[in-house]
């Protein structure tokens, strides 16, 4: 009875939060407003903005300072080794998703990169596969796999700690977590701190590499929340199309032409359409 009451109470609270967080649709007669509302695909915008502000506050208090100390403490070669090591640990998840998407060639590259970097690269500390063998890193996740097989992204979400997302990508993160061998190593041997440490290091390293970019975006954005929302969608569309390294995408989207002067409006970033599954598979073959 206690469990049932607790579940009912939790459901009621969740319902109230969702109701309070829903954006009010515009007047149907206002075609421009309706079009903008539909393109934003953000019916939970008030709630999303709240979590965005919470995440931004945590970033200012914790992640940004840690990232700054990280930049000061480690020289660039050491930071490159950290990133290479963390990427190497993620290889099994990337390999699974390469195979799920029917991308045999990319799966072969992923497996070869893991073998080369784990051995010649001393456990992944050095990206020898890229330097010597011309096999650059690429990322894949189950959210991309779902998109390749035709799953719609759903509404925009901004999740606590995790940041920009959508139902497809959020569920994909859960599947990737289950697919990751280190998840089971941590569970079986009671060393879950390994995964916690890895995610923390990866987050700090990524934040440190984008300190200036994010600062410029925040300075030039009329609406920082809307800018992040647009950039996230553009980045995910490029990733689904096997476009570029995530850092290269962010760099391209935040070049000098994309950063407006103070007081100017942020240019609209048009999300590219997600290719059909058949197109993805034909490109992979």
């Amino acid at each position: 009875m206690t469990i049932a009451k607790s579940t009912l109470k939790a459901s009621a609270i969740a319902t109230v939060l969702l109701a309070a967080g829903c954006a009010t649709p515009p007047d149907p007669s206002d075609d421009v407003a309706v079009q903008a509302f539909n393109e934003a695909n953000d019916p939970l915008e008030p709630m999303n903005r709240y979590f965005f502000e919470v995440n931004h506050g945590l970033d200012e208090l914790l992640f940004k300072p840690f990232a700054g100390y990280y930049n000061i403490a480690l020289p660039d070669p050491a930071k490159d080794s950290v990133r290479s090591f963390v990427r190497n640990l993620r290889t099994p998840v990337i390999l699974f998703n390469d195979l799920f998407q029917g991308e045999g060639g990319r799966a072969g590259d992923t497996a070869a990169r893991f073998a080369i970097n784990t051995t010649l690269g001393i456990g992944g500390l050095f990206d020898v596969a890229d330097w010597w063998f011309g096999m650059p890193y690429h990322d894949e996740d189950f959210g991309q796999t779902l998109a390749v097989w035709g799953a719609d992204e759903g509404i925009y979400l901004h999740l606590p700690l995790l940041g920009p997302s959508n139902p497809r990508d959020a569920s994909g993160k859960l599947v990737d977590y289950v697919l990751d061998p280190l998840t089971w190593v941590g569970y079986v041997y009671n060393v879950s701190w390994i995964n916690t440490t890895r995610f923390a290091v990866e987050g700090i390293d990524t934040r440190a590499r984008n300190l200036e970019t994010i600062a410029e975006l925040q300075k030039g954005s009329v609406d920082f929340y809307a800018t992040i929302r647009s950039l996230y969608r553009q980045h995910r569309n490029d990733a689904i199309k096997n476009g570029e390294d995530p850092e290269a995408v962010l760099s391209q989207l935040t070049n000098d032409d994309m950063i407006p002067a103070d007081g100017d409006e942020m240019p609209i970033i048009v999300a590219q359409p997600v290719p059909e599954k058949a197109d993805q598979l034909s490109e992979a073959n």
Side-chain angles (χ1 to χ4, degrees), residues 216-235:
E216 290 177 348
L217 274 176
Q218 186 174 1
K219 178 183 177 181
S221 297
V222 174
D223 185 347
F224 192 35
Y225 167 83
T227 300
I228 294 298
R229 181 178 61 195
S230 295
L231 287 174
Y232 175 75
R233 285 179 174 148
Q234 181 69 72
H235 157 63

Side-chain angles (χ1 to χ4, degrees), residues 2-258:
T2 302
I3 296 177
K5 287 183 177 179
S6 300
T7 303
L8 186 60
K9 184 183 294 185
S11 300
I13 293 173
T15 301
V16 171
L17 287 175
L18 286 174
C22 291
T24 304
D27 185 345
S29 63
D30 189 341
D31 293 337
V32 176
V34 170
Q35 181 180 0
F37 182 82
N38 292 334
E39 288 178 353
N41 191 26
D42 192 2
L44 300 179
E45 184 172 344
M47 184 180 71
N48 285 335
R49 283 184 179 272
Y50 171 77
F51 287 129
F52 173 80
E53 293 299 332
V54 171
N55 287 345
H56 181 61
L58 289 173
D59 178 64
E60 290 291 327
L61 289 173
L62 296 176
F63 304 129
K64 183 178 176 181
F66 272 116
Y69 298 143
Y70 176 85
N71 266 346
I72 295 172
L74 295 182
D76 288 342
K79 287 184 287 187
D80 289 341
S81 288
V82 170
R83 179 177 57 169
S84 179
F85 180 75
V86 171
R87 283 179 166 182
N88 200 55
L89 290 177
R90 182 173 164 74
T91 299
V93 173
I94 298 173
L95 178 59
F96 283 136
N97 283 291
D98 281 335
L99 294 173
F100 292 156
Q101 295 175 29
E103 298 177 343
R106 285 165 68 87
D109 286 346
T110 299
R113 279 181 51 83
F114 183 73
I116 293 170
N117 287 342
T118 303
T119 54
L120 298 179
I122 313 177
L125 288 174
F126 305 98
D127 194 353
V128 178
D130 188 11
W131 302 345
W132 294 353
F133 297 91
M135 290 186 289
Y137 170 83
H138 73 268
D139 196 11
E140 292 291 345
D141 57 62
F142 200 73
Q144 293 170 243
T145 298
L146 290 173
V148 168
W149 289 105
D152 185 70
E153 64 178 344
I155 63 174
Y156 178 75
L157 297 173
H158 197 96
L159 304 176
L161 296 180
L162 297 178
S165 189
N166 54 59
R168 182 191 65 203
D169 291 348
S171 60
K173 284 183 180 294
L174 178 60
V175 174
D176 287 336
Y177 181 75
V178 174
L179 290 174
D180 194 334
L182 274 184
T183 298
W184 300 102
V185 170
Y187 176 76
V188 172
Y189 295 100
N190 197 26
V191 286
S192 57
W193 59 267
I194 293 178
N195 288 300
T196 303
T197 302
R198 176 177 60 150
F199 293 138
V201 171
E202 184 177 14
I204 291 173
D205 178 74
T206 301
R207 185 64 178 92
R209 292 176 182 276
N210 293 286
L211 278 171
E212 294 183 5
T213 299
I214 293 176
E216 290 177 348
L217 274 176
Q218 186 174 1
K219 178 183 177 181
S221 297
V222 174
D223 185 347
F224 192 35
Y225 167 83
T227 300
I228 294 298
R229 181 178 61 195
S230 295
L231 287 174
Y232 175 75
R233 285 179 174 148
Q234 181 69 72
H235 157 63
R236 289 302 290 174
N237 283 334
D238 283 341
I240 290 165
K241 293 185 295 183
N242 295 336
E244 303 178 58
D245 181 285
E247 291 185 4
V249 173
L250 184 58
S251 175
Q252 178 184 354
L253 289 173
T254 56
N255 57 34
D256 291 340
D257 293 335
M258 293 299 297

